[in-house]
Amino acid sequence: MTTPAAPDDASLKTANGLLLVISGPSGVGKTTITHAVERSFASAVFSVSYTTRPITPQDREGVDYFFISEASFDEKIAGGAFLEHAGVFGKRYGTPRTWVEEQLSDGRLVILEIDVQGAINVKKAMAEAFCLFVLPPSEEELLRRLRARGREDETTIQRRFGAAQHEIAVAKSCGVYDRFLVNSILPGTVKEAIDVVGGELARRGMPRG
């Protein structure tokens, strides 16, 4: 369950920046799309979440996540440090509030890659956020992609697949997402995402960079 931090109307302003939320189920390709969008706009910055999950050999501290203990995570919650925080498969993730607000105040495109419940709570706190959801071309293809990653056993894959089905259903019904992108062929979806974000920046009178 994702929990929003206590609202503060004076601080939850997007100022001259744009808060971009990108969501999608595991295996859909959202991380590749997110980083491609980030590289395409000079003003873009990627919000690095805090997490309690163990670091892996593939992870880069401060690039993929900030890895902290459960106790430190609790301290940050108590101090109102998170814009939103969530529990996913027994581990917790949190978006740093102050850093996001500072970047928005500087007129930047701030990108959050978070789950549906996180997006719902961010939208409550920052109504001007622009939200994209990445869909698989079909459930069968999503399951194939999860298996093709070769990271997990079948029990874990099935758990992720069930969670993905639920996440997609909530995303379609919650009314938070401004656009849905179907990732059939990755290069085409990357271009579509970049075009959509560029169009939203133009609509708001922000430089593409």
Side-chain angles (χ1 to χ4, degrees), residues 14 42 48 58 77 79 132 151 156 159 161 177 198:
T14 55
V48 180
Q58 292 76 36
I77 292 173
L132 297 178
R151 300 178 189 174
T156 303
R159 184 178 63 171
F161 181 58
Y177 290 94

Side-chain angles (χ1 to χ4, degrees), residues 89-192:
F89 297 120
K91 303 303 177 185
R92 294 191 288 175
Y93 301 82
T95 298
R97 174 196 292 269
T98 300
W99 183 88
V100 168
E101 292 173 349
E102 288 173 349
Q103 299 302 313
L104 291 171
S105 293
D106 288 340
R108 292 186 175 275
L109 169 63
V110 180
I111 305 173
L112 307 183
E113 185 185 313
I114 56 178
D115 69 2
V116 172
Q117 290 300 320
I120 289 169
N121 285 301
V122 165
K123 194 79 167 183
K124 289 177 182 176
M126 295 183 173
E128 295 180 357
F130 187 76
C131 301
L132 297 178
F133 191 91
V134 183
L135 291 164
S138 68
E139 289 188 351
E140 292 77 14
E141 174 61 14
L142 178 60
L143 184 57
R144 187 198 68 77
R145 291 178 187 178
L146 286 171
R147 287 171 171 157
R149 297 193 303 181
R151 300 178 189 174
E152 297 158 329
D153 59 30
E154 185 63 21
T155 298
T156 303
I157 288 170
Q158 289 296 331
R159 184 178 63 171
R160 288 195 181 277
F161 181 58
Q165 290 173 306
H166 175 72
E167 187 171 10
I168 290 169
V170 174
K172 289 180 175 179
S173 65
C174 68
V176 161
Y177 290 94
D178 299 282
R179 289 289 297 271
F180 288 86
L181 307 179
V182 177
N183 185 21
S184 298
I185 302 175
L186 184 59
T189 309
V190 165
K191 181 181 184 303
E192 183 180 4

